[in-house]
Amino acid sequence: MSDDAKKLRLFDTHCHFDFDVFAADFEHHLLVAREKGVERFVIPSIGAQNWQRAAQLAERFTSQIYYGLGIHPYFLQADSEKTLADLEQSLIHAGRECVAIGECGLDGVVDIPAPLQERILLAQFSLATQARLPLILHSRKTHDRLIYLLKQARFTYGGVLHGFSGSYQQARAFTDLGFKIGVGGVVTYTRAGKTRRAISQLPVESIVIETDAPDMPVCGFQGQPNHPGRLVEIFKALVSLKDMPALELSQQLWRNSCQLYGLDEERSAAGHEVKP
């Protein structure tokens, strides 16, 4: 490994490290990722079923793991109004490791009524405004509608559009509203021409990287659970797309990620702290 490679500090801005696939030997998976240069992680929650687990991991692995609290459109239920009330209470009692609202958003493919999705999403916009936290946004075939709702709500705390797949024009619509673009495994596939072109055109200041582990596999690892350690493969693809020195790009991405989540850039740089 070159001296420059040793200095790379990577931040997985969106990984579901709390999912069962990692639970049996979590510390091993964390070590594997850290050996690849991944120093920080944000766990976006999907609903009440994993708020506590995400918070517990962040409390245990301080300065490494952070989390978001939210309700994913996949998991909306008939009692989602009660879940919103529970979310508000969870935010009140959340510690400093809670750095975002999400994962929340819209999905044009799942069989969940659009009016319900939008109602719950707008409520989460309001909670994010109250808490002065950014949003972790999910959007599938709903970019235009999501942009409209963000403008209508006059949301000003920014966030990230996670797992971006789309055109340059769509990406810029979000960055114009103060959002970062979450670049994941899709850019490792040469067939993803439209998304790769969009990412190559975006200002590097508008980009963060993510794995969405255990989902969104990177090229060469199809059929396997994704892993935060594979963030380095996404980073390598981005180095090629942006035609930048690896160290310079990693430093910019680190700054972007820390800015996104309101974190000190230098905290925990020398290692990790684990609470018993």
Side-chain angles (χ1 to χ4, degrees):
M1 182 182 288
S2 70
D3 290 340
D4 279 356
K6 292 178 182 178
K7 298 174 185 175
L8 298 181
R9 302 172 67 192
L10 302 179
F11 191 142
D12 192 343
T13 60
H14 189 117
C15 66
H16 297 282
F17 226 165
D18 58 310
F19 279 15
D20 288 347
V21 66
F22 304 114
D25 198 357
F26 182 82
E27 291 191 37
H28 169 72
H29 290 295
L30 184 63
L31 178 61
V32 167
R34 287 184 60 84
E35 287 177 341
K36 296 286 189 179
V38 189
E39 294 189 14
R40 283 180 176 172
F41 314 80
V42 167
I43 299 174
S45 59
I46 57 174
Q49 62 267 41
N50 72 330
W51 295 341
Q52 185 176 13
R53 172 67 173 159
Q56 287 172 341
L57 287 172
E59 183 178 357
R60 184 179 178 199
F61 298 94
T62 59
S63 302
Q64 295 178 85
I65 295 177
Y66 302 86
Y67 69 101
L69 290 174
I71 307 169
H72 193 295
Y74 281 7
F75 302 99
L76 297 182
Q77 307 281 343
D79 64 349
S80 290
E81 301 294 343
K82 178 185 181 303
T83 307
L84 276 172
D86 293 340
L87 176 58
E88 184 171 13
Q89 288 302 307
S90 295
L91 283 166
I92 289 171
H93 298 291
R96 61 194 174 99
E97 293 85 8
C98 179
V99 294
I101 301 298
E103 180 176 355
C104 58
L106 300 176
D107 196 293
V109 177
V110 294
D111 189 22
I112 304 289
L116 174 61
Q117 291 191 44
E118 292 189 9
R119 186 166 71 251
I120 299 303
L121 179 60
L122 289 171
Q124 290 180 88
F125 286 179
S126 295
L127 290 175
T129 297
Q130 292 172 28
R132 299 183 178 182
L133 288 175
L135 294 163
I136 300 172
L137 291 178
H138 169 97
S139 177
R140 189 160 62 152
K141 299 188 182 299
T142 57
H143 287 355
D144 292 344
R145 183 63 179 169
L146 194 50
I147 286 290
Y148 172 81
L149 293 176
L150 285 166
K151 290 180 177 178
Q152 184 183 57
R154 297 182 180 178
F155 185 77
T156 59
Y157 289 94
V160 56
L161 177 64
H162 124 80
F164 176 72
S165 177
S167 69
Y168 172 74
Q169 290 76 17
Q170 289 171 323
R172 282 308 303 262
F174 284 94
T175 61
D176 287 348
L177 291 178
F179 282 76
K180 305 292 187 189
I181 299 300
V183 176
V186 67
V187 298
T188 65
Y189 295 87
T190 56
R191 67 176 183 267
K194 181 173 70 172
T195 299
R196 285 165 58 89
R197 285 192 298 273
I199 298 304
S200 70
Q201 293 175 271
L202 283 174
V204 68
E205 293 81 7
S206 298
I207 294 170
V208 295
I209 54 176
E210 59 172 76
T211 61
D212 198 25
D215 299 322
M216 203 186 297
V218 300
C219 185
F221 297 92
Q222 297 94 318
Q224 303 176 31
N226 199 7
H227 193 282
R230 293 188 187 130
L231 189 69
V232 68
E233 303 300 326
I234 296 164
F235 174 73
K236 289 175 183 176
L238 192 58
V239 169
S240 177
L241 286 173
K242 302 304 289 183
D243 192 23
M244 289 177 63
L247 181 57
E248 180 183 345
L249 180 59
S250 73
Q251 290 171 339
Q252 184 63 59
L253 293 173
W254 183 266
R255 284 193 292 271
N256 296 348
S257 304
C258 293
Q259 178 191 34
L260 165 63
Y261 290 122
L263 299 175
D264 183 343
E265 290 184 26
E266 296 307 317
R267 189 170 166 226
S268 84
H272 68 276
E273 173 186 355
V274 179
K275 291 186 177 180

